[in-house]
Amino acid sequence: MDIILFGPPGAGKGTQAKRLVELLGIPQISTGDLMRAEAKSGSPLGEELQRYMSRGELAPDSLTIEVFKARLGQEDAKGGAIFDGFPRTTAQAEALEALLAELGRRVDKVVVIDVPDSEILGRITGRRSDPATGQVYHITYNPPPPGVEVVQRKDDTEEVVAHRLATYKAQTEPVLAYYDKKGVVVRVDGVGSLDEVTERIKAALGV
Ligand code: ADP
Ligand code: ADP
């Protein structure tokens, strides 16, 4: 099964993707995580990607597709994957379709996690993660256990969030029309507890 988790920054894509990994036994492919790892390595590609991320702008399609393709080709993604934060442009959606077609696969479902703009800022500025495990927390909604040292992403500031949300509306939301035509889009309400949202996604996927 190949599933896209779609929605604005802070919708809960990463959080829910990790839960689906456990449930479905297929990996999460997050282009944001892949780009942050590349940036951390200090490579020239990483430095270039970091410039876009810091501004809340999308990385160019060519670089993004390159990073994504390398990950999709790995052994653990042979039986399907959960795509988190990819595709974010129509060109990326077309590239994904071609890459999957080569493998005899296609996007089975696009799950849109609906969260109103008014909720986004608080979710993102309160997001923290454990650098040791990658586990994502929220200072209020999903606090880290005592003793766990958490860090905040550089782009999770109020100014960058506003720009990321504008980028989402201008460049990413229109990608839904591409999938609507294929009849694979399902929408879930992303407001509620983490468990409630997981149950809604499971129901939408029929798993
Ligand atoms: P995305 O990958 O879509 O950007 P995340 O999964 O990283 O979103 O979630 C953004 C922040 O919101 C994190 O701090 C996460 O703990 C928190 N969060 C996720 N789901 C919910 C929810 N249903 N209610 C409240 N906060 C949530
Ligand atoms: P969030 O879900 O909170 O928006 P991500 O971790 O998915 O955050 O993405 C962080 C940043 O990484 C984006 O603002 C963008 O700069 C870059 N990025 C991630 N995925 C893509 C993509 N598919 N295309 C272009 N840029 C991307």
Side-chain angles (χ1 to χ4, degrees), residues 8-10 13 30-33 35-36 49 52-54 56-61 64 84-89 92 124 127 153 155-156 164:
K13 301 181 297 294
S30 156
T31 41
D33 286 349
M35 288 181 188
R36 279 184 290 278
L49 293 170
Y52 293 99
M53 291 192 279
S54 310
E57 282 166 20
L58 294 184
D61 286 329
T64 304
D84 159 14
F86 183 92
R88 269 172 146 106
T89 63
Q92 291 177 19
I124 295 210
R127 172 161 55 190
R153 263 168 56 178
D155 59 341
D156 277 352
R164 280 157 61 196

Side-chain angles (χ1 to χ4, degrees), residues 7-173:
K13 301 181 297 294
T15 301
Q16 297 299 332
K18 291 198 171 62
R19 292 169 165 223
L20 293 176
V21 164
E22 304 274 311
L23 191 77
L24 303 174
I26 51 177
Q28 166 195 17
I29 301 186
S30 156
T31 41
D33 286 349
L34 294 170
M35 288 181 188
R36 279 184 290 278
E38 189 68 43
K40 212 172 158 191
S41 80
S43 69
L45 171 63
E47 280 178 16
E48 187 173 358
L49 293 170
Q50 184 59 52
R51 283 199 289 277
Y52 293 99
M53 291 192 279
S54 310
R55 291 197 297 256
E57 282 166 20
L58 294 184
D61 286 329
S62 56
L63 296 184
T64 304
I65 292 163
E66 191 185 313
V67 165
F68 173 81
K69 188 178 169 185
R71 178 64 186 89
L72 182 70
Q74 286 173 19
E75 188 64 30
D76 64 337
K78 282 225 157 79
I82 298 153
F83 307 118
D84 159 14
F86 183 92
R88 269 172 146 106
T89 63
T90 305
Q92 291 177 19
E94 286 164 352
L96 176 62
E97 182 166 2
L99 287 169
L100 288 178
E102 281 175 28
L103 303 167
R105 288 155 53 182
R106 64 186 165 80
V107 171
D108 294 296
K109 281 273 183 291
V110 179
V111 181
V112 184
I113 306 179
D114 276 321
V115 173
D117 290 3
S118 56
E119 188 98 355
I120 299 289
L121 181 65
R123 282 204 189 181
I124 295 210
T125 52
R127 172 161 55 190
R128 300 289 185 277
S129 66
D130 178 349
T133 62
Q135 178 67 44
V136 173
Y137 297 101
H138 189 282
I139 49 173
T140 313
Y141 307 128
N142 183 20
V148 173
E149 293 282 337
V150 290
V151 295
Q152 183 170 27
R153 263 168 56 178
K154 280 192 221 140
D155 59 341
D156 277 352
T157 61
E158 198 166 332
E159 310 80 72
V160 183
V161 172
H163 195 60
R164 280 157 61 196
L165 198 51
T167 302
Y168 174 77
K169 297 203 176 192
Q171 292 175 262
T172 302
E173 219 166 31

